[in-house]
Amino acid sequence: MKLKLFLGKLAIAILGGTIAVLLFVLFTDKKERIITVPEVRTTQLTNHTVGVPQVDLTYAAEMSVKSVVHVKTLYSNEEYQSNPFYDFLFGERGRSQQPRASIGSGSGVIISDDGYIVTNNHVVQGSNLINIVLYDKREYEGKLVGFDPYTDLALIKIDEKDLPKMDFGNSDDLKLGEWVLAVGNPFNLTSTVTAGIISAKARNLGLNGNRMSIESFLQTDAAVNPGNSGGALVDTKGRLIGINTAIESRTGSYSGYSFAIPVTIVEKVIGDLKKYGEVQRAFIGVSIRTVDANLADEFKIDKIEGVYVAGINEDGAAENAGIKKGDIILNIEGKVVNSSAELQEQISKFHPGDKIKVLIKRNEERKQIEVVLRNRLGNTNVIKSKDLAFLGAEFEPISTQEKYRLQINRGVRVKNLRDGKFKDEKIKEGFIIYKINETPIFKVDDIKDALQDVKDGGVFISGIYPDGSVKYYAFSLNDKD
C-alpha cells in the first residue's frame, strides 16, 4: 500500500516536471527567439517627423528683429465745440487754454543703413511729431519724407548711419503654406515676434474706400495686434516680404487673420517717394470685373480665368494699344491675374511710360499686346512733388485764442511774402488759410497734401483775414514754372 502511494506521488512529480519543461520551451524559449529577430515597424506615432523638413525660424527672427523700430507719434488737438451760453457766463478764460494731446504707437522697418524707414501712412498721418525708437533703445526724431494714402505707406528719415537694414524678398514667389514671421510692437511691447503661414494672396478688403486705392494683401495667421501696423512680415531667411497693416477681428485684437502689403508694392512706392516726392502711379485705362461662374454664364465664356474688361477709358493706354471691351486679360508680363486685386498689384509695379506685355483672350483666341502705361493726367510725364516754394510764402500755425476769436477751428497763417503765386494773386500777409479745394488745413503740411491731390490744375483757397473778412482766391497750377 505504501509502495503504491510512493509510486503515485513519483508519477505526479515526473508529470509536473515534464509539463514545466514543456511550458518553459514553448513560452520562455520562444520569447527569446522573438527578441533576437529584428522586426520591421509598420506603424508610426502621430508626431513622428521622418521625411518632413523641420522649419527653424530662429535665424529669421534674429536677422529681422533689430531692423524693426517703434514709431511713436504725437497729435495735438486744438479743436473745440463752441458753446455760446458757456462763453457768455465765463468768457474765453473759462475755457481750458491748454490744447489736448494724444499719443499713437506703431512700428516701422529700416530699409537702408542711412536711416530710411517704411511704415503705414495711418501710423503717422496727421501727427505733429514722430519719434523713432530703435531696437537698442536709441531715440530719434523722424522726418516724414513722403506718403501715399492709396497704398497706406509712408517713408520716414532719421539722421543716423550704419543702421541694421532689412533686405527685400520677393512676395510674388510666395506660396500658400509658407512660414512667415510678423515682427513689431503690439500694445507697446517692443520687438515682438509671432509666426504663421501664408493663408492667401491678393486679398482686397475695401479698407480705404477710394477707387484709386491699391489693395492686394498677403493674408497670414501670424498674430498681429494694434501697434503691429507698419511692422515687418518676413520669410524664413529674414527678408522683408510685406508691411503688416490690418487685422480681421470682431474684438479689435487678433482673432484669426492679419494682412500685409506685399513688398513688391512697397519697393515701388518707397522708391518713388525717395526719388520724386510722390508715387508715379501707372494706369492701364480699363474697368474690369473678376471672371466668375455668373459672368462666364452671362457672356458665354468657356473657361473661368483672368479678368473681364468691362470698359475702356477713352484715349487711354489700353484703347491706344488695341484692347477692347469684352477682352479677358490673362496675365501681365507673364504674371497670371485672376482678380482685380492681382491686376492692380501687377500694374502698380510700373511707372507711366513703361511698355508692358499683356496677354488677352478674345473670341477664344489668345493674343499678346504691348501697352504703354500712362499717369493720372493721361500722359507719360513724371509728376513731381509740388513743394511750396513757388507760392512765395512762409506759413505758421495760429493759436487757440486766435481760432476762438475768429470762430474757426483750424487754419495756417501766411507770413513773409516774396515773389510768387500768392503775391501774383494779391494774397496778403496775415491771411489765414482754412481750406484748399475740399481739404481742410490744420497744419502747414496739409497745404502740400492738398496741392498733391489737385488733378486738373485748379486751386481754390478759402480763408479769413485777422479783421474777420472772409476771402476766396483761385488760380491754376498749370501755369507755374
Side-chain angles (χ1 to χ4, degrees):
M1 190 70 181
K2 290 182 179 181
L3 180 60
K4 289 182 179 180
L5 182 62
F6 171 76
L7 292 174
K9 291 181 177 180
L10 180 61
I12 291 172
I14 293 172
L15 180 61
T18 302
I19 292 172
V21 171
L22 289 173
L23 290 174
F24 178 80
V25 172
L26 289 173
F27 293 98
T28 306
D29 189 48
K30 185 176 182 180
K31 184 177 180 181
E32 289 178 350
R33 286 198 301 271
I34 293 174
I35 292 174
T36 57
V37 176
E39 182 179 5
V40 177
R41 183 181 294 271
T42 58
T43 58
Q44 304 287 344
L45 298 176
T46 56
N47 65 343
H48 200 48
T49 56
V50 174
V52 179
Q54 295 295 304
V55 179
D56 186 357
L57 300 176
T58 57
Y59 175 79
E62 182 180 357
M63 290 295 293
S64 59
V65 71
K66 295 180 181 179
S67 300
V68 177
V69 302
H70 192 184
V71 181
K72 296 192 291 186
T73 50
L74 179 68
Y75 302 82
S76 65
N77 184 5
E78 294 186 342
E79 295 186 54
Y80 56 84
Q81 296 295 325
S82 179
N83 186 327
F85 182 71
Y86 186 95
D87 297 342
F88 176 79
L89 290 177
F90 300 104
E92 184 176 341
R93 287 179 299 175
R95 294 182 181 274
S96 171
Q97 300 302 309
Q98 296 298 322
R100 292 171 293 173
S102 56
I103 297 174
S105 177
S107 305
V109 183
I110 301 172
I111 57 172
S112 69
D113 56 12
D114 59 347
Y116 283 98
I117 296 167
V118 61
T119 187
N120 284 133
N121 179 52
H122 74 257
V123 170
V124 296
Q125 184 178 23
S127 63
N128 300 95
L129 180 67
I130 301 173
N131 193 316
I132 302 297
V133 184
L134 303 186
Y135 176 78
D136 58 10
K137 309 304 180 186
R138 286 181 290 169
E139 296 192 19
Y140 301 84
E141 182 175 344
K143 176 185 177 183
L144 183 61
V145 176
F147 61 92
D148 180 39
Y150 303 120
T151 55
D152 195 16
L153 291 170
L155 184 64
I156 302 170
K157 179 71 167 63
I158 62 174
D159 293 327
E160 189 54 273
K161 303 291 184 183
D162 302 321
L163 294 172
K165 71 181 181 70
M166 188 178 295
D167 294 329
F168 288 149
N170 189 339
S171 51
D172 278 348
D173 293 340
L174 288 174
K175 297 179 180 178
L176 300 186
E178 281 195 41
W179 281 96
V180 290
L181 293 179
V183 188
N185 304 280
F187 307 119
N188 284 321
L189 300 173
T190 58
S191 305
T192 297
V193 180
T194 57
I197 62 170
I198 296 295
S199 307
K201 299 174 65 175
R203 287 289 197 214
N204 189 327
L205 306 178
L207 295 178
N208 192 301
N210 190 297
R211 65 182 183 86
M212 291 182 62
S213 296
I214 299 175
E215 290 188 7
S216 186
F217 292 114
L218 300 172
Q219 179 180 314
T220 173
D221 61 354
V224 170
N225 283 290
N228 270 113
S229 287
L233 189 71
V234 302
D235 61 17
T236 55
K237 296 181 180 179
R239 299 173 304 188
L240 183 68
I241 56 170
I243 295 297
N244 297 316
T245 300
I247 58 176
E248 179 70 24
S249 171
R250 290 186 172 92
T251 64
S253 298
Y254 173 77
S255 62
Y257 294 108
S258 54
F259 302 90
I261 302 168
V263 75
T264 51
I265 294 178
V266 175
E267 193 170 7
K268 160 65 166 53
V269 169
I270 296 307
D272 283 356
L273 292 178
K274 288 177 68 174
K275 186 174 182 179
Y276 304 108
E278 69 174 272
V279 177
Q280 302 301 306
R281 177 89 178 267
F283 292 86
I284 191 171
V286 297
S287 58
I288 58 176
R289 292 173 59 185
T290 299
V291 178
D292 56 19
N294 291 331
L295 188 139
D297 183 63
E298 179 182 354
F299 293 103
K300 303 300 184 285
I301 299 172
D302 64 333
K303 186 177 180 181
I304 298 178
E305 61 179 346
V307 290
Y308 180 80
V309 178
I312 298 286
N313 293 355
E314 184 178 354
D315 198 30
E319 183 181 64
N320 286 346
I323 294 177
K324 300 179 180 180
K325 180 180 178 180
D327 289 345
I328 297 175
I329 299 176
L330 300 176
N331 72 52
I332 304 289
E333 284 290 315
K335 298 291 185 181
V336 174
V337 291
N338 285 316
S339 68
S340 301
E342 289 179 342
L343 178 65
Q344 283 186 328
E345 181 180 353
Q346 295 307 316
I347 295 297
S348 70
K349 300 176 185 178
F350 300 100
H351 293 87
D354 286 348
K355 182 184 292 185
I356 64 171
K357 295 177 181 178
V358 179
L359 181 65
I360 68 165
K361 184 170 67 173
R362 180 185 299 164
N363 298 326
E364 315 308 334
E365 294 184 2
R366 297 177 179 235
K367 181 179 181 181
Q368 185 166 278
I369 296 179
E370 288 189 342
V371 179
V372 179
L373 300 174
R374 301 189 178 189
N375 60 29
R376 56 182 168 83
L377 300 178
N379 57 55
T380 59
N381 298 332
V382 170
I383 301 177
K384 294 184 178 180
S385 177
K386 300 178 179 67
D387 59 32
L388 303 182
F390 80 100
L391 297 177
E394 295 179 18
F395 303 93
E396 64 180 1
I398 60 176
S399 66
T400 303
Q401 291 87 346
E402 190 157 16
K403 291 178 186 177
Y404 176 71
R405 183 177 66 82
L406 295 172
Q407 292 295 292
I408 57 177
N409 66 356
R410 61 184 184 272
V412 172
R413 190 196 326 273
V414 175
K415 69 171 187 176
N416 299 334
L417 272 175
R418 56 185 183 275
D419 290 341
K421 180 62 70 174
F422 273 18
K423 204 169 187 180
D424 294 342
E425 299 299 327
K426 311 301 183 185
I427 297 176
K428 300 176 182 179
E429 290 185 3
F431 182 62
I432 297 171
I433 301 171
Y434 55 71
K435 187 165 74 171
I436 296 180
N437 291 347
E438 297 303 318
T439 302
I441 305 301
F442 290 92
K443 57 186 186 301
V444 176
D445 284 344
D446 292 338
I447 298 176
K448 182 177 179 181
D449 300 344
L451 295 179
Q452 286 180 335
D453 287 339
V454 173
K455 295 179 174 57
D456 57 3
V459 177
F460 188 79
I461 297 178
S462 306
I464 187 172
Y465 280 100
D467 63 0
S469 58
V470 177
K471 296 290 183 181
Y472 305 97
Y473 298 93
F475 56 85
S476 174
L477 295 179
N478 293 333
D479 58 356
K480 96 176 177 69
D481 296 331

